[in-house]
Amino acid sequence: MRSLWNDVQAEQCHDELDRRVYSSRLLGQHPDLVLHGGGNTSVKIKEKNLLGEEQTLLYVKGSGSDLIDITRAGFAPVQLEHLLKLAKLPSLSDPQMVNELKTHVTVSGAPTPSVEAILHAILPYTYVDHSHADAVITLTNTPGGLQRIKEIYGEAVVIIPYVMPGFDLARLCAQLFFEQCKPTTQGMILLNHGIFSFGETARESYERMIQLVTRAEQYLQKNQAWDLDLPKSVPAAETLRLPLAQLRQRLSAVTAMPMILRHTHTPLVEKFLQHPLLAQISQQGPATPDHVIRTKRVPMLGQDIDTYIADYQRYFKQHNATAREPKIMLDPAPRVILDPQLGLCSLGKTSQDAQVVQEIFSHTLEIILRATQLEKYQALPARDIFDVEYWDLEQAKLRAAGKPKLFAGEVALVTGAASGIGKACVESLLARGASVIGMDLNPVVATQYQRADYCGVVGDVCVREQIQHALETGVRRFGGLDILILNAGIFPAAQPIAEMDASVWQKTLDINLTANLVLLQESYSLLKLAPRHGRVVVIGSKNVAAPGPGASAYSASKAALNQLVRVTALEWGKDKIRVNSVHPDAVFDTGIWTEEILQARAQAYGMTVEQYKQRNVMGVDITSHDVAELVVEMCGPLFAKTTAAQIPVDGGDLRVI
Ligand code: ZN
C-alpha cells in the first residue's frame, strides 16, 4: 500500500479543516481501507465563538458522507469539552448519546456526527483516522489473530478486544489507551473491527495508517497468505438471463418489492466457489460487523431460498429473545447469493445498493480466502453480528433513505436510447428510480451516463442476436426486465408511392415494425417474471390515424405496428402484461427531424416550416420530454388497469379529432 500524499495538492489547503478534507479523501481512494460510508476521520481545532470565547471543536465525519468525496460540510463540529465529560459517565444509552452529539454541534444544519465521535474525542491527537482495512481484519478474523497483531506491531499499537461500536467501545478505548499508550504508539487495532491511526498533522496520521496497514500486508505476504493463485479465466457462461430473472422474481416475493439482482463472475469468485471448504468458510459471517447491514450475516449458497429464510428466522428468534428491547424482523431475503451456475449475485433495493453489496462482498471473499490460507477464517459470533444488524443506530441509517421512488428496483429497456424521445424516456425513468438498459446503434449510448443504474448497449434492433445480447447484458446487471419501451424508428425522406424505392420500403418496415416484433418475442419470457407484472409502451405516431402524402413507408409501418401492439395486448393480458401506445406528433427535437425533412413535410402541406411546426389546435410545442413523461407514467400505477390504449400527445390534431 503506497501513500498518495502529494505536497503540491496539500499546499493548496488553507486551514486544518481543508487538510482534514484532503487526507480523508486520500483515505477514501484506497478501496482496501474504506468502502462506501465505511471509516471515519476527525480533526480538533481551536476556534473563537461569537462572544470571543475560545473553544476546541471536534470536526468529525457526519453520517451520509463517503470519505472519497467528502467536503468541509461533511464534517460536524462538536464541542470537544462536552464529549470528554460524556466519556467519563459510567453509562450512556444510544438514544442519549445521539441526542448529546446532535445538541452539541455548533453549526445548525450540520450532519449528525459519527457514532464513533466520542472515541475520536478521547484520543489526544489533532488528527484521527479510522478504517476497516482489509489486511488488518484478515489477521484479526483468525483464531491466532491477537498473537499475530502483537507480533507484528509490538508497542506501535494499542489492542482493543471486540466491543460493539458506540459508547461502551469509546469508554473501553479510553481506559485501555491510557493504560497501554507508549511514546511510540501510532495507532490502535480494534479486533474484528478495524484500525485507528493518529498524529499531530494530517500527513502524519494518514501515513501512519498506510504504514500500519502495509505491515499487515507484508505479514500476509511473508506467510504465503497474500497471493491467491486465481484462475486465469472463469467458465464461459451460457445465457443466464432466464435463471437470473427467475431468481430475482422469487427474491422480490420475499421482500415484497421489486429488487435489483446484480451478477458478476470474476476469477476471485470462481476461486472461492471452487474452494474445497466453500460450505464452511462462506457461512462464518462478515469481516467487520458494519458490513452486516449491507450483506446480511451470511450469503445464500445455491438457490434454496426457503432454507435460507428458515435459517434467518431461527437466527432472529434466537437472538431477539435476549435482546435489550424486542426488535422487528427485517426481510429475510439474502443480499448475497453464491451459486456455481450464477456466480456471485448481489441484491439491493436500488442498483446503487446492489453495487455496494457486490463491492463489499468481493473484498470479503479476498479476506476469507487469505485468512483461510493463513490459518482459518473465524468471524465474530452470530450474537455480535445480530447486535449490529438490529442496532437502532444502524437501522436509522437505512430508514434515512426515505420512501422508495416510483420504479425503485424495476428495470426498463429503451430502444433508440441515444437521442430524442428514447433518451428523454431514459431520463424520465431514471428520475423515477428505475434502472435502465439503453440500446442504440449510436455508440454514445454506452457512455452517455456513468451511473450504477444505467447500462448502455450498442446494438442493431434489426438483428435478433444483438437484441439477445442487449437483454443478456442488461439482465446480468439488473436481474430482470419489467418495462419495455419500443422507441427506435426511422422516418425516410418523402417518396410518392409511384416512385417508392423497394429498399427504402423494406428498411422502414424492418426497423419500425419487424424489429419490434422480435423485441417483443425476446422480452416476453422476462416480462412474465416481472414482480409487478410487465409493461410495454410503444411509440406510435399521429400518422396511424392521419397519414401524410409521401410518407407511405413510415405511415404503413407505424399503422402495422399499432395493430401488432393491439394483438400483443390481447395475447399477453393473461400474463398481466400491459401493452399501450402513445401517438406523438410534431416532436421536432428528435433525431429523425432533420432540417431537410422538416422542409419537405412543410412543403407537402403547402406550409412554411414555422406554420408546420405549430399546426396543432392548442398551438403548443411538443418536446421529447413531454412524450417521455407520458410514456413513463403509463408504466405506473395510474394506468394499472389500462391495456391496448392509444394516447395522442400532439397538442390536438385537427385531422385526428
Ligand atoms: Zn468502524
Side-chain angles (χ1 to χ4, degrees):
M1 178 162 292
R2 285 220 315 272
S3 167
L4 302 174
W5 189 272
N6 178 315
D7 279 329
V8 179
Q9 287 171 355
E11 272 163 27
Q12 288 164 6
C13 297
H14 298 297
D15 57 16
E16 298 283 299
L17 184 55
D18 263 358
R19 280 183 276 279
R20 178 67 283 176
V21 169
Y22 171 66
S23 72
S24 299
R25 288 179 162 212
L26 292 186
L27 212 58
Q29 284 174 43
H30 298 275
D32 29 15
L33 287 183
V34 292
L35 282 169
H36 305 289
N40 43 56
T41 57
S42 69
V43 59
K44 301 177 183 79
I45 302 175
K46 273 199 176 72
E47 284 179 12
K48 282 204 170 101
N49 67 13
L50 273 180
L51 305 173
E53 299 157 347
E54 192 161 84
Q55 55 179 355
T56 304
L57 298 177
L58 174 79
Y59 282 85
V60 63
K61 193 193 107 167
S63 60
S65 291
D66 272 337
L67 288 178
I68 195 165
D69 54 9
I70 198 164
T71 60
R72 291 171 74 95
F75 287 91
V78 202
Q79 290 166 333
L80 181 68
E81 213 183 277
H82 186 72
L83 294 177
L84 293 175
K85 284 183 196 161
L86 288 177
K88 296 209 173 83
L89 289 173
S91 72
L92 191 64
S93 74
D94 292 333
Q96 284 173 327
M97 180 178 78
V98 171
N99 182 64
E100 293 304 303
L101 293 178
K102 281 186 172 172
T103 52
H104 288 78
V105 166
T106 59
V107 175
S108 72
T112 304
S114 159
V115 294
E116 285 169 318
I118 299 178
L119 208 170
H120 282 259
I122 54 126
L123 293 169
Y125 301 89
T126 307
Y127 286 85
V128 176
D129 292 42
H130 170 48
S131 80
H132 302 150
D134 286 1
V136 173
I137 51 182
T138 302
L139 290 168
T140 64
N141 281 307
T142 59
L146 175 60
Q147 278 316 313
R148 295 178 198 281
I149 294 293
K150 284 182 178 168
E151 185 190 325
I152 297 167
Y153 295 109
E155 289 183 353
V157 301
V158 169
I159 302 171
I160 312 286
Y162 178 76
V163 169
M164 188 169 144
F167 185 71
D168 293 347
L169 175 62
R171 258 188 67 95
L172 180 69
C173 289
Q175 184 202 331
L176 295 182
F177 178 81
F178 290 107
E179 278 173 21
Q180 297 178 19
C181 176
K182 302 276 178 337
T184 49
T185 299
Q186 302 175 6
M188 200 162 70
I189 303 260
L190 279 56
L191 298 179
N192 304 88
H193 173 166
I195 174 170
F196 279 79
S197 64
F198 26 71
E200 285 319 308
T201 65
R203 180 171 191 167
E204 185 177 49
S205 184
Y206 166 73
E207 291 196 333
R208 280 177 171 177
M209 175 68 76
I210 300 297
Q211 285 155 12
L212 290 170
V213 175
T214 301
R215 283 160 78 170
E217 292 181 346
Q218 286 167 344
Y219 180 90
L220 288 167
Q221 278 159 0
K222 211 175 68 196
N223 289 277
Q224 284 74 50
W226 184 257
D227 291 319
L228 292 173
D229 190 22
L230 298 181
K232 294 276 172 292
S233 60
V234 298
E238 351 69 274
T239 65
L240 292 180
R241 58 189 186 277
L242 214 53
L244 283 171
Q246 283 161 344
L247 179 62
R248 169 179 179 253
Q249 185 197 36
R250 291 166 59 213
L251 291 167
S252 298
V254 178
T255 61
M257 66 178 75
M259 301 291 282
I260 297 295
L261 185 71
R262 187 181 166 106
H263 165 269
T264 182
H265 199 154
T266 58
L268 176 64
V269 172
E270 182 60 18
K271 171 88 184 180
F272 197 83
L273 286 168
Q274 294 298 332
H275 200 286
L277 299 174
L278 171 68
Q280 188 220 321
I281 61 176
S282 66
Q283 301 299 307
Q284 298 304 303
T288 183
D290 199 37
H291 289 169
V292 71
I293 60 163
R294 298 292 200 165
T295 62
K296 281 242 157 84
R297 192 178 79 84
V298 292
M300 176 167 81
L301 210 51
Q303 298 185 38
D304 184 353
I305 296 176
D306 293 342
T307 301
Y308 186 91
I309 293 175
D311 288 347
Y312 187 85
Q313 286 167 335
R314 200 173 314 119
Y315 153 83
F316 177 80
K317 222 172 141 187
Q318 183 192 342
H319 298 296
N320 187 41
T322 51
R324 271 186 226 163
E325 67 267 6
K327 310 286 184 187
I328 296 166
M329 195 180 83
L330 300 166
D331 79 67
R335 290 300 182 272
V336 178
I337 298 97
L338 283 166
D339 181 81
Q341 182 200 8
L342 299 179
L344 168 65
C345 296
S346 56
L347 192 76
K349 289 177 182 170
T350 63
S351 285
Q352 287 82 349
D353 283 352
Q355 185 180 25
V356 168
V357 173
Q358 184 196 306
E359 283 174 25
I360 288 177
F361 207 75
S362 297
H363 283 260
T364 307
L365 291 179
E366 233 168 32
I367 290 166
I368 294 176
L369 286 172
R370 287 195 175 126
T372 308
Q373 218 157 298
L374 181 68
E375 182 186 359
K376 180 188 176 198
Y377 180 68
Q378 181 181 291
L380 285 168
R383 169 85 239 178
D384 290 311
I385 303 303
F386 177 88
D387 287 342
V388 173
E389 185 175 2
Y390 283 90
W391 189 19
D392 282 345
L393 304 183
E394 289 290 5
Q395 294 303 313
K397 278 191 206 168
L398 296 180
R399 280 194 298 272
K403 194 170 166 266
K405 292 185 174 175
L406 186 65
F407 296 132
E410 296 204 285
V411 185
L413 172 78
V414 180
T415 65
S419 63
I421 293 172
K423 191 173 183 198
C425 286
V426 172
E427 285 171 3
S428 294
L429 285 160
L430 289 173
R432 287 165 177 78
S435 294
V436 182
I437 309 160
M439 185 179 180
D440 205 295
L441 264 181
N442 184 343
V444 159
V445 79
T447 51
Q448 59 187 354
Y449 307 102
Q450 301 292 336
R451 42 192 289 174
D453 52 3
Y454 176 77
C455 170
V457 187
V458 183
D460 184 345
V461 288
C462 293
V463 182
R464 186 179 289 268
E465 291 71 29
Q466 296 191 22
I467 291 172
Q468 291 169 339
H469 170 71
L471 286 167
E472 184 71 20
T473 307
V475 174
R476 285 182 187 212
R477 177 76 80 80
F478 303 130
L481 183 69
D482 304 273
I483 294 169
L484 178 63
I485 310 289
L486 298 180
N487 162 71
I490 56 166
F491 193 125
Q495 276 184 347
I497 286 170
E499 291 152 32
M500 172 58 65
D501 178 330
S503 67
V504 171
W505 174 263
Q506 192 55 49
K507 190 179 172 197
T508 310
L509 288 180
D510 285 347
I511 297 174
N512 290 0
L513 177 62
T514 312
N516 288 320
L517 171 73
V518 179
L519 278 154
L520 287 165
Q521 288 178 325
E522 292 294 333
S523 303
Y524 180 49
S525 55
L526 296 170
L527 290 170
K528 275 200 289 188
L529 294 168
R532 284 187 186 147
H533 307 303
R535 281 135 286 165
V536 181
V537 178
V538 179
I539 311 301
S541 171
K542 176 221 66 171
N543 287 44
V544 172
S552 59
Y554 180 78
S555 304
S557 67
K558 286 288 187 182
L561 173 62
N562 198 54
Q563 240 12 25
L564 175 67
V565 171
R566 297 172 72 201
V567 176
T568 312
L570 285 172
E571 292 186 5
W572 293 4
K574 66 177 190 323
D575 303 306
K576 306 275 187 296
I577 300 173
R578 301 191 278 112
V579 189
N580 293 297
S581 48
V582 297
H583 292 317
D585 185 34
V587 183
F588 296 111
D589 61 347
T590 70
I592 60 174
W593 285 101
T594 60
E595 200 51 43
E596 244 180 353
I597 289 181
L598 254 179
Q599 269 169 13
R601 295 316 301 154
Q603 225 166 28
Y605 287 91
M607 295 176 183
T608 66
V609 167
E610 218 39 46
Q611 287 168 330
Y612 180 70
K613 274 184 168 181
Q614 294 172 356
R615 72 201 190 289
N616 62 60
V617 296
M618 293 172 72
V620 290
D621 267 0
I622 296 120
T623 64
S624 294
H625 177 71
D626 297 328
V627 179
E629 289 288 294
L630 174 64
V631 166
V632 167
E633 283 302 322
M634 288 176 82
C635 300
L638 199 60
F639 287 78
K641 308 280 168 75
T642 301
T643 194
Q646 303 176 43
I647 302 186
V649 47
D650 58 4
D653 185 284
L654 260 184
R655 293 168 57 219
V656 176
I657 296 171

